[in-house]
Amino acid sequence: MNTTPRSNRLHIGIFGRRNAGKSSLINAITGQDAALVSHIKGTTTDPVYKTMELLPIGPVVLIDTAGIDDESKLGYLRIEKTQNILRKTDIALLVVDPSQGFGTYEEKLIRQLGKTKYLIVYNKSDLGIKYDGLNVSSITGENIHELKEKIAEIAQAHEPEPKLVADLLEPKDMVVLVVPIDASAPKGRLILPQQQVIRDCLDIGAICVVTQPPELSDTFVKLTSPPKLVITDSQAFADVAEKTPLDVNLTSFSILMARYKGVLEYAIESAKIIDVLKDGDKLLIAEGCTHHRQCDDIGTVKIPRWIEKRTGAKPDYTFTSGGDFPSNLSDYKLIIHCGGCMQNFKEMQYRQSQAKAQGIPMTNYGVAISFMQGILERCVRPL
């Protein structure tokens, strides 16, 4: 379970005021010293992530956050990071110090949680102060097991995780995966979407054939029957589309990821904005992870090159990566986001909802590239 990607884990955020015992609680839940504990207020400055298997849920990530009442000079930055965790939290634990009680800070946080499921946890029951509700002690272990059971109840009521590709296939279907091994490919391994697609195919009992673009034509010759689906890295769309017979379904890892994260429909609608881009239009290209950019990087080099070839325009590009995503998007004509394999479902939904709320089109790499190659309709047809 430790190898399960963080983006595929249920995110459980631990929130509350400083010194409410959030870090102690996360240690009690995990049974480890996962978070630094101190009586000094404001010990937790940056979010602390701890992955574990929480039975009967399965793989989860627990996130310890800074106090929501931090009024120090750097407090507003810490609170901003805590609020960023809200947008990716599936279940929130609101930890209350019984000596402080439930007050305006907690009320404000609940409003910010919106539709996110949450539990109010009264910590430090060993001090002898009890409230109506769930009273726990990180020191004695009182009701820690009960807390895990309540988390599991909420999690089991959570919407079932969507499938990446398995729902498009039947057992024994043949799938050809086209995986370029170039300067941008990680040494000795496959990138996460490729790994996830392979696992999804294996789970359904489908048959995977993995090849590179130069060997694709030979692959088709050696197959005794046409594959049900060809899935390619978006960067190789032009070459793969040319080599794949028109009666064979074609898509990309990035397009499948957009479907998996629930953002495909708006991404398709937004891609048409590419054709009306003009010189100086502000364009945001967002990567969900941080990595060393190669000389022919897809986000900073290839996509701008394809845009300029298609439109003849010279947009004004802004590039972001990792957890950085602007709250104010109003200046942008278009956002092109990566597949989002490092963001969980809720985070990608949040990013798209921010774009929609501000009236900004937002597409993704695979959708944008297939649109510019003139094969978007073909590539979304199997979905």
Side-chain angles (χ1 to χ4, degrees):
M1 288 295 182
N2 286 335
T3 59
T4 302
R6 185 187 291 175
S7 58
N8 282 19
R9 294 173 178 265
L10 191 76
H11 283 51
I12 303 172
I14 319 291
F15 304 94
R17 297 189 224 181
R18 291 173 298 165
N19 242 15
K22 300 185 298 297
S23 298
S24 297
L25 184 63
I26 200 172
N27 289 345
I29 293 172
T30 62
Q32 303 174 26
D33 291 334
L36 180 63
V37 175
S38 170
H39 292 297
I40 300 173
K41 288 187 175 183
T43 299
T44 301
T45 55
D46 291 323
V48 176
Y49 293 79
K50 175 60 181 177
T51 57
M52 67 175 293
E53 182 181 1
L54 186 60
L55 296 176
I57 303 170
V60 302
V61 56
L62 297 167
I63 313 171
D64 188 17
T65 64
I68 55 176
D69 62 331
D70 192 339
E71 297 175 351
S72 66
K73 290 183 179 179
L74 294 177
Y76 75 97
L77 293 175
R78 294 171 180 168
I79 292 174
E80 184 178 18
K81 289 186 177 182
T82 295
Q83 290 174 334
N84 287 341
I85 298 301
L86 289 173
R87 69 193 196 195
K88 64 182 70 175
T89 296
D90 297 305
I91 300 174
L93 303 185
L94 177 49
V95 184
V96 179
D97 184 336
S99 64
Q100 297 175 315
F102 188 96
T104 55
Y105 287 110
E106 288 77 16
E107 291 172 353
K108 180 181 178 182
L109 183 66
I110 287 176
R111 289 195 298 271
Q112 291 176 318
L113 285 170
K115 296 181 180 179
T116 301
K117 301 291 181 63
Y118 66 89
L119 280 172
I120 298 174
V121 182
Y122 294 98
N123 200 11
K124 306 182 183 180
S125 64
D126 52 282
L127 298 179
I129 306 173
K130 299 290 182 74
Y131 285 82
D132 288 336
L134 182 59
N135 293 271
V136 306
S137 171
S138 304
I139 303 299
T140 67
E142 180 185 0
N143 285 335
I144 295 298
H145 177 74
E146 287 72 15
L147 171 59
K148 293 181 182 180
E149 290 293 315
K150 287 187 177 293
I151 294 172
E153 287 177 16
I154 295 175
Q156 288 169 350
H158 204 263
E159 292 185 7
E161 183 178 337
K163 299 296 183 183
L164 185 53
V165 69
D167 58 324
L168 304 176
L169 303 171
E170 300 290 340
K172 301 189 186 327
D173 277 345
M174 179 77 69
V175 182
V176 174
L177 309 183
V178 185
V179 178
I181 303 298
D182 53 22
S184 63
K187 186 176 181 180
R189 62 182 177 87
L190 301 177
I191 62 173
L192 183 56
Q194 294 162 358
Q195 297 175 41
Q196 290 178 302
V197 166
I198 291 173
R199 178 54 194 263
D200 224 29
C201 289
L202 294 176
D203 284 344
I204 196 64
I207 302 167
C208 285
V209 174
V210 185
T211 187
Q212 294 193 65
E215 288 73 49
L216 181 58
S217 294
D218 288 336
T219 301
F220 283 123
V221 170
K222 293 185 177 184
L223 292 177
T224 57
S225 59
K228 176 72 173 291
L229 182 63
V230 173
I231 306 170
T232 181
D233 188 291
S234 300
Q235 299 181 66
F237 252 143
D239 187 17
V240 173
E242 182 180 349
K243 294 176 179 176
T244 301
L246 290 176
D247 60 345
V248 173
N249 286 326
L250 171 67
T251 192
S252 78
F253 297 102
S254 181
I255 291 175
L256 287 174
M257 195 60 65
R259 173 179 174 265
Y260 182 55
K261 303 292 183 179
V263 297
L264 180 59
E265 184 176 348
Y266 192 60
I268 294 171
E269 177 187 335
S270 298
K272 61 187 178 183
I273 299 300
I274 292 172
D275 276 347
V276 298
L277 290 174
K278 299 181 177 61
D279 289 346
D281 280 343
K282 292 186 179 297
L283 183 59
L284 174 63
I285 299 181
E287 287 269 7
C289 61
T290 55
H291 61 272
H292 176 67
R293 298 187 185 278
Q294 302 292 326
C295 58
D296 208 21
D297 179 70
I298 183 172
T300 58
V301 179
K302 289 183 177 178
I303 288 179
R305 185 167 65 218
W306 283 322
I307 288 173
E308 291 166 19
K309 180 180 179 181
R310 169 110 180 173
T311 66
K314 293 281 187 181
D316 179 8
Y317 302 101
T318 298
F319 304 98
T320 63
S321 61
D324 295 331
F325 192 74
S327 56
N328 182 8
L329 303 169
S330 58
D331 289 339
Y332 296 109
K333 182 77 172 182
L334 176 66
I335 302 165
I336 304 180
H337 203 288
C338 70
C341 65
M342 299 305 293
Q343 277 72 45
N344 67 347
F345 182 89
K346 189 168 182 185
E347 170 72 4
M348 284 306 301
Q349 290 286 305
Y350 170 83
R351 292 188 176 195
Q352 188 182 84
S353 69
Q354 288 294 98
K356 281 185 173 182
Q358 298 176 52
I360 309 302
M362 177 173 163
T363 189
N364 95 330
Y365 282 14
V367 175
I369 295 169
S370 61
F371 175 81
M372 289 186 283
Q373 300 290 348
I375 56 173
L376 174 57
E377 184 177 347
R378 179 184 179 186
C379 294
V380 299
R381 186 173 59 225
L383 313 184

